[in-house]
Amino acid sequence: MPVLVQISDIHIGSLYNPSVFDNIVDEVNSMNPDALIVTGDITDEGILPQFELARKELSRFDCHNLIVMPGNHDYRHTGYLLYKKFFPGKQINDMGEVVIVTLSTARPDRDEGEVGYRQLSWMQKTIREFEGQRKKIIVAMHHHLIAIPDTGTDKILILDAGDTLRVCLESQVDLVLCGHKHRPWIWNLGPLQIANAGTASTPRFRGFFQNSYNIIEIKDSDLSVKLKIVGGDSFPLSDLVSKYKPYLDTGTEITNYRDHEPLRR
């Protein structure tokens, strides 16, 4: 049973919490996942010292398949010139039962994302090559593909989200992994799941006030996504949707989805 881990929005910089990241490293290494997918915003400002530390921190994971893609923060301050030096990689990762295709949505010194016609055409052609092979197809990107609750004004998005979503559906993609909004969530569009990860190691929370990451399990023909609270329990990411409550109903409580009891701040 392939097991994948998605972490996102590490934001190495002034708000980076190394002790939280230490816990993530220990937890992920104990799982021995088949792949670790890092969906962007590895650094906070895209500057050289942050990239140097980011590479050092990510090298602590004992995972053969480390799949990294940039976020908008990584492309700030000419970070786009540094990113590929520190994190060279391939966009197609065929792991037997599952294929992971990465899309770069970050653009230099822009917060909004864009896939672009050429990259979409390439993705569609690439996925077509796996037709009839009964492989699960996962597409990973930084920016969120669909708006997410409790994240404020939705201006920083993928400019061509409609085209990207159409290609994902037409190509029969099974799962899209996103980061960017620091808010774990999952949408189901028929056979397509769109899973968003929270922030792994900063206090920049939106809607869910604990550091977290996602665990993807593939068993037979089923693909499931769990949310893992750093230092805490894991549960189906869909519980966050089905058991949703506005997080400031009383102004004093945050929903604790581990046991479905109010968590006092």
Side-chain angles (χ1 to χ4, degrees):
M1 178 180 70
V3 176
L4 317 173
V5 171
Q6 177 201 9
I7 66 174
S8 196
D9 296 88
I10 301 169
H11 284 284
I12 288 180
S14 61
L15 291 178
Y16 171 63
N17 189 330
S19 63
V20 171
F21 196 81
D22 288 345
N23 288 336
I24 295 173
V25 171
D26 291 341
E27 291 177 4
V28 172
N29 285 343
S30 70
M31 281 185 260
N32 191 27
D34 296 279
L36 174 62
I37 306 165
V38 186
T39 48
D41 278 0
I42 309 156
T43 69
D44 195 46
E45 297 167 308
I47 56 178
L48 181 60
Q50 293 177 0
F51 274 113
E52 290 174 335
L53 180 57
R55 182 168 62 183
K56 180 180 178 181
E57 292 289 67
L58 290 179
S59 70
R60 298 167 60 195
F61 290 104
D62 298 326
C63 184
H64 177 69
N65 294 304
L66 177 63
I67 302 169
V68 184
M69 64 217 68
N72 54 300
H73 280 256
D74 301 313
Y75 272 24
R76 291 179 174 177
H77 305 116
T78 68
Y80 57 91
L81 299 175
L82 298 171
Y83 174 80
K84 289 186 178 180
K85 176 182 178 181
F86 284 90
F87 298 106
K90 54 186 180 179
Q91 284 190 274
I92 307 169
N93 299 271
D94 186 355
M95 301 171 55
E97 294 180 52
V98 59
V99 176
I100 302 168
V101 178
T102 67
L103 298 178
S104 178
T105 59
R107 296 294 179 265
D109 293 309
R110 284 167 47 187
D111 285 331
E112 70 274 13
E114 184 177 4
V115 177
Y117 174 78
R118 291 183 180 180
Q119 195 172 197
L120 277 178
S121 298
W122 167 85
M123 183 186 80
Q124 197 164 26
K125 180 181 178 182
T126 297
I127 294 175
R128 194 178 297 128
E129 295 174 0
F130 294 100
E131 284 184 358
Q133 298 186 34
R134 297 184 178 181
K135 297 174 182 282
K136 291 294 184 184
I137 304 295
I138 296 176
V139 172
M141 64 186 76
H142 174 65
H143 288 81
H144 60 298
L145 193 51
I146 298 180
I148 307 165
D150 301 327
T151 58
T153 303
D154 203 31
K155 293 181 178 179
I156 305 173
L157 39 68
I158 296 177
L159 298 178
D160 50 354
D163 294 310
T164 305
L165 184 57
R166 175 188 60 80
V167 171
C168 287
L169 288 167
E170 288 184 358
S171 301
Q172 298 182 335
V173 172
D174 297 287
L175 174 66
V176 175
L177 297 175
C178 307
H180 186 57
K181 293 295 275 188
H182 299 200
R183 197 334 176 188
W185 196 260
I186 190 165
W187 291 117
N188 291 288
L189 279 73
L192 174 63
Q193 298 183 76
I194 302 175
N196 300 273
T199 175
S201 49
T202 79
R204 290 175 176 164
F205 303 118
R206 292 190 180 103
F208 186 82
F209 290 81
Q210 298 176 80
N211 291 112
S212 64
Y213 55 93
N214 292 337
I215 301 171
I216 301 96
E217 297 178 340
I218 302 167
K219 185 175 182 180
D220 300 325
S221 59
D222 295 327
L223 186 154
S224 61
V225 184
K226 293 181 179 179
L227 183 145
K228 175 66 174 69
I229 296 171
V230 179
D233 296 335
S234 63
F235 53 86
L237 186 55
S238 58
D239 281 4
L240 224 54
V241 179
S242 63
K243 297 179 171 66
Y244 172 79
K245 293 180 181 179
Y247 65 93
L248 290 180
D249 266 349
T250 66
T252 59
E253 296 177 347
I254 301 170
T255 302
N256 180 357
Y257 289 91
R258 284 175 291 181
D259 52 16
H260 313 301
E261 294 289 338
L263 174 65
R264 298 286 177 179
R265 287 191 288 180

